Amino acid sequence: MKAVAFIAALVVALAPAGATIAQSAEPARLAEAVASLPRASAIYVAGRGTAEPWGAAAGIAFPETGAPMTIDTPVRIASNAKTFTAATVLRLWETGRIDLDAPIGPLLSPELDALLVADGYDTAAITVRHLLTHSAGLYDHGGDRRFVEAIRADPSHVWTRAELVGLTTAWADPQLPGVAFRYSDTGYVLLGDIIERITGKPLGVAVRDELRLDRLGLTASWWEIMEPAPPGAVRAPQALGDIDARDWHASMDLYGGGGLVMSARDLATFFAALFEGRVFDRPETLAEMLRPGDHEGGDHYRLGVFVSERDGRTFYWHSGFWGTVALYAPDAGVAVAGVTTNQDGFVALRTLAESVVGAPPSRP
């Protein structure tokens, strides 16, 4: 908490009254703030509201070699990938290949559908939109402590989609769909399966093709295992406090709820492109992505993105398990992404990232 308070005080001291860092500060000021973060971290700022994109990084990203953290150092972004998965589904909707309100049963692979039905889930009542908004009534296998314990017991285990969905059916009973927001990695595993079945491509390739990521100049981004790393890109090791998790097999978080490896620069670049009309063909598609649901909590999480409002300013955002965050403030035209090499540095990182666009801290 001392680190968070210090960062917040530093941001206030650095930014002129009535302005945000993104609007008025020199890159050196952000660099000073990033250098004060408790773990190796990087923050990047992009968007139409900035004169030009810029960022800062500090700390050692690769302890064995002493290589520093940079704005282009790739890390696992975990649940930040959900925004990409959702945007891919929206592209399929935009091009007439999926109905967001269609039941998921016929869209899923028979194995996954059978697992859900056997546990009492009504896949004729659960829709694609329910999965996108976390209102399908699915338990969150990724948020269960037993999942982390299983990974730590066998870090090299290669998880399949069916195994991950099987954890959900084994650990909890289904809830009614369309009633309330209940965050669930499992739902995005199902969306990843649906994307593959519709496109006929591995998820990573489908996301890249449908979102036309190569047009955005992302040089340190790939879907782990499913795509080769870009030339020269090496994923930095990440940790959970004292737990070194660099060797946890990517399949533990690969199939749509996570799976992407990205740098701070690439993540901010994508968020700016998404909200500024460079990903979808029509503005109506982004409007659909951001339309609130009528279920409990439907205003808090839209289709693959959280939304917060403080003092009349709206921010769209997502964060990730390892300590990553991306935000976009439409009225400021500013996208900010932050990454860190250790989960215990996340709160201070998020505080700084939100301060860059003038946002008060949001709940994770």
Side-chain angles (χ1 to χ4, degrees):
M1 292 304 295
K2 290 182 179 179
V4 175
F6 176 77
I7 292 296
L10 180 61
V11 168
V12 171
L14 293 176
T20 67
I21 286 180
Q23 294 168 333
S24 61
E26 296 293 331
R29 293 174 175 173
L30 180 61
E32 182 179 351
V34 172
S36 301
L37 292 169
R39 297 290 187 170
S41 303
I43 283 183
Y44 197 76
V45 183
R48 58 176 171 76
T50 59
E52 61 181 21
W54 50 283
I60 301 300
F62 298 89
E64 290 79 4
T65 65
M69 189 74 168
T70 76
I71 57 175
D72 294 311
T73 300
V75 297
R76 288 173 172 170
I77 65 167
S79 286
N80 274 113
K82 288 182 173 68
T83 304
F84 293 77
T85 299
T88 301
V89 174
L90 267 294
R91 276 286 295 153
L92 297 178
W93 174 78
E94 181 177 67
T95 53
R97 287 173 286 170
I98 195 170
D99 178 356
L100 298 181
D101 297 305
I104 64 172
L107 300 175
L108 290 171
S109 63
E111 180 184 21
L112 297 185
D113 185 51
L115 275 171
L116 294 169
V117 170
D119 194 47
Y121 286 95
D122 184 356
T123 58
I126 299 172
T127 67
V128 175
R129 191 184 300 275
H130 290 148
L131 297 181
L132 288 166
T133 57
H134 296 289
S135 62
L138 287 158
Y139 183 67
D140 179 21
H141 76 271
D144 193 298
R145 60 176 177 76
R146 290 170 288 185
F147 185 47
V148 172
E149 290 170 357
I151 297 167
R152 293 190 67 187
D154 186 4
S156 63
H157 178 72
V158 180
W159 295 85
T160 66
R161 278 196 181 94
E163 283 182 301
L164 297 175
V165 175
L167 296 179
T168 289
T169 59
W171 288 345
D173 294 326
Q175 303 295 312
L176 289 175
V179 175
F181 169 84
R182 295 183 178 90
Y183 191 88
S184 174
D185 277 321
T186 314
Y188 272 71
V189 170
L190 300 178
L191 286 169
D193 178 68
I194 290 170
I195 290 170
E196 288 196 347
R197 285 172 58 81
I198 289 176
T199 63
K201 301 173 183 178
L203 178 61
V205 176
V207 171
R208 180 173 296 277
D209 290 350
E210 296 297 332
L211 301 185
R212 296 164 288 191
L213 297 182
D214 291 339
R215 299 193 315 183
L216 301 179
L218 310 183
T219 61
S221 300
W222 71 99
W223 209 285
E224 207 165 357
I225 296 179
M226 296 182 184
E227 297 183 295
V234 179
R235 177 174 63 84
Q238 288 163 282
L240 310 175
D242 295 331
I243 302 171
D244 187 343
R246 75 183 71 195
D247 294 327
W248 287 12
H249 196 272
S251 60
M252 53 80 63
D253 187 28
L254 180 68
Y255 300 108
L260 269 168
V261 176
M262 299 190 83
S263 66
R265 185 205 297 263
D266 283 3
L267 186 52
T269 298
F270 174 78
F271 251 60
L274 176 65
F275 287 98
E276 293 176 2
R278 298 189 296 278
V279 171
F280 299 132
D281 289 336
R282 305 194 311 268
E284 292 83 5
T285 307
L286 181 61
E288 186 69 20
M289 187 176 192
L290 302 182
R291 184 160 63 87
D294 56 9
H295 56 278
E296 180 184 342
D299 191 52
H300 175 59
Y301 193 97
R302 308 299 170 82
L303 278 64
V305 65
F306 287 96
V307 60
S308 295
E309 185 172 334
R310 302 287 194 277
D311 301 323
R313 170 172 281 179
T314 298
F315 301 88
Y316 297 101
W317 61 279
H318 217 296
S319 57
F321 173 79
W322 298 105
T324 57
V325 65
L327 309 94
Y328 187 82
D331 64 337
V334 173
V336 182
V339 304
T340 183
T341 58
N342 195 308
Q343 190 191 68
D344 67 11
F346 172 66
V347 174
L349 172 77
R350 188 193 67 202
T351 298
L352 177 56
E354 292 178 341
S355 297
V356 169
V357 293
S362 301
R363 295 179 181 176

